Amino acid sequence: MSGPSSTSSKPLVVGLSGVSSSGKTTLAHILRDIWPKSFILHEDDMYLPDSQIPVKNGIQDWDCLEAIDLVKFRKTLQHIHVHGALPNDLNPKEDENITVPKGVDYFVIFECRERAKELIGDHSGPIFFVDGFLLYAQSMKDVWSQFDLKLFLRADFEDVKARREARTGYVTLEGFWKDPPGYVEDIVWPNYVRDHSFLFENGDVKGIIDSEVCRALDIEAVSGSAEGDMTDCVEWACKLIEAKFQAR
């Protein structure tokens, strides 16, 4: 199977990262509906089997790097770049965990879709939205170059806690996982702070994004109304993707 040849036919790989429950997966699904020839790779589909998930203080830690099959993840990214397609043996589970978005302005989605159609020609390559909670952690530096566009979503502790606790649970490779009481406080949030504090001024993840660090790493961090409104977030993401296509 031959891979993409020209720059315009090469796949565009867009990273969508941020704390758990920041809207990454929801955004990825909306963007897939907007952009022709687009696909999603969920980092959550790269989890190790349930029995191999590390345990911290007696609780399985699904929100750390050690829970991910990094060899499989790296090989999948390489496959996308070489072949312009997802591996045939990929068995996605994360689509079973998607939360249906509410209150997203359909008119904005329609406008974004029309602009996308104008940009995507017959010879344009596919778009891959890579949705993951650890894409930009410093321990993942070796994959940063695999992303043509890196988008970073934010959410405060209260929203993360409320959204995680509202979920019934998650389909896994070997069964089903439901967060035990205190999981966000003890596992999710501390891991997020550890892995992403370098992206914020003074290491404060509740504060201001360090624009110099993000600029140096080519990370586009959501800001303003797009931070808390999915409609604005979709429009923000689409404009950045459009700019990437126009620059090709």
Side-chain angles (χ1 to χ4, degrees), residues 207-229:
I208 301 170
I209 285 283
D210 191 321
S211 57
E212 290 187 10
V213 171
C214 287
R215 191 180 304 115
L217 300 177
D218 290 325
I219 293 175
E220 298 283 353
V222 69
S223 62
S225 61
E227 188 174 324
D229 183 278

Side-chain angles (χ1 to χ4, degrees), residues 69-174:
D69 186 339
L70 294 176
V71 172
K72 180 180 179 181
F73 184 54
R74 293 183 178 107
K75 285 183 176 179
T76 303
L77 286 174
Q78 291 168 1
H79 189 281
I80 286 172
H81 280 282
V82 172
H83 301 291
L86 292 170
N88 291 330
D89 60 352
L90 190 65
N91 183 25
K93 295 288 185 184
E94 182 56 26
D95 281 355
E96 301 177 45
N97 295 320
I98 180 64
T99 302
V100 178
K102 297 178 181 179
V104 179
D105 190 331
Y106 181 77
F107 181 70
V108 169
I109 292 177
F110 174 79
E111 285 192 325
C112 289
R113 187 179 289 137
E114 290 302 301
R115 295 199 305 268
K117 287 178 182 176
E118 292 179 6
L119 283 171
I120 301 292
D122 293 337
H123 302 292
S124 298
I127 305 174
F128 293 88
F129 298 109
V130 184
D131 150 39
F133 66 99
L134 273 176
L135 303 183
Y136 312 146
Q138 288 182 304
S139 51
M140 296 286 282
K141 279 183 179 179
D142 64 306
V143 303
W144 290 353
S145 62
Q146 302 282 336
F147 302 112
D148 300 296
L149 179 62
K150 298 192 281 287
L151 306 183
F152 182 70
L153 276 59
R154 298 183 62 184
D156 59 33
F157 172 81
E158 289 74 18
D159 285 340
V160 170
K161 180 175 169 61
R163 292 169 187 169
R164 289 278 305 215
E165 292 180 351
R167 294 181 176 177
T168 55
Y170 304 83
V171 176
T172 66
L173 277 177
E174 298 176 339

